[in-house]
Amino acid sequence: MTLSPEGSQEQAPPLNTTQANISAAMSTSIDLVHCILIASRVGANVLFDRFYTPRGEAVEESERVGWWEALHRASERDLGKSPEDVPNVATHLSRHIVWMCSGETVIYLVGTGIYDEITLAEAAATLVAVIKLICKTKSVTIALVLANLGKVCLAVDQMIFAGEIERMNVESIYKSIKLKQASK
């Protein structure tokens, strides 16, 4: 409730679902990688995204779009001049944001708790290195990411499970991807 200038009480407008989810996330400090997103460096097109929640529930499309807009706003000034494979940091709604440009792409990671800027920067560097191995290139292009999207998904799954970083060893992740492909 809020007080009007005349002193009478007014009901505050109800929160929509997205606002309620964001408010709940802000009120608790949890150790979680909330999302990983790979986008084009120019044009801001999302190539891949994966969202994690504390209880594993699905993330609504409107919340996904809201996060993409927030990530893009946090990084848009620096995307053009950001050096290759160097982590950049920001915060939004008490969450740590790290993004790293590599070739034509930019990788975003969002986390809270123990998944701070340092941990997320290391994870971003690991993922960039794995993608370069997968694509057999020194410069990541949009076409290569899309052509190898299945392997990129496997790499993310090998690194992050249920919002927790499980592995950050480039060779280990790459070998496990090759083993999964060989078993199919």
Side-chain angles (χ1 to χ4, degrees):
M1 284 193 197
T2 58
L3 291 177
S4 68
E6 298 83 34
S8 63
Q9 293 182 348
E10 297 176 359
Q11 286 288 83
L15 293 174
N16 66 33
T17 306
T18 303
Q19 288 172 324
N21 290 344
I22 291 171
S23 296
M26 286 176 54
S27 65
T28 59
S29 178
I30 53 174
D31 298 332
L32 188 71
V33 174
H34 295 275
C35 81
I36 180 167
L37 192 137
I38 302 173
S40 60
R41 198 169 177 175
V42 177
N45 297 311
V46 177
L47 307 174
F48 168 87
D49 69 1
R50 178 89 29 97
F51 287 80
Y52 305 96
T53 59
R55 292 181 288 293
E57 65 269 5
V59 176
E60 294 180 22
E61 187 66 25
S62 60
E63 194 169 351
R64 288 174 178 255
V65 170
W67 269 103
W68 168 234
E69 290 170 352
L71 294 172
H72 184 67
R73 274 193 312 274
S75 64
E76 67 185 335
R77 286 186 317 200
D78 300 323
L79 282 179
K81 59 186 175 196
S82 183
E84 293 287 306
D85 304 335
V86 174
N88 298 278
V89 299
T91 58
H92 179 69
L93 298 174
S94 301
R95 295 182 183 181
H96 310 288
I97 300 171
V98 171
W99 71 91
M100 184 178 286
C101 296
S102 185
E104 298 174 355
T105 63
V106 58
I107 295 174
Y108 296 92
L109 288 134
V110 178
T112 52
I114 62 170
Y115 299 111
D116 60 4
E117 295 92 340
I118 296 169
T119 306
L120 295 175
E122 187 179 342
T126 300
L127 186 58
V128 166
V130 171
I131 291 173
K132 287 179 178 182
L133 277 173
I134 290 169
C135 297
K136 298 178 174 85
T137 187
K138 290 184 180 183
S139 182
V140 181
T141 66
I142 295 167
L144 285 172
V145 169
L146 293 175
N148 293 287
L149 194 55
K151 293 177 186 176
V152 171
C153 290
L154 281 173
V156 171
D157 289 344
Q158 292 299 312
M159 277 186 65
I160 302 170
F161 178 74
E164 295 183 6
I165 296 175
E166 298 286 325
R167 290 187 190 170
M168 285 210 284
N169 181 290
V170 175
E171 287 300 317
S172 171
I173 295 166
Y174 184 66
K175 285 178 183 178
S176 66
I177 293 168
K178 290 180 87 169
L179 284 172
K180 284 196 182 268
Q181 288 182 309
S183 66
K184 288 184 179 183

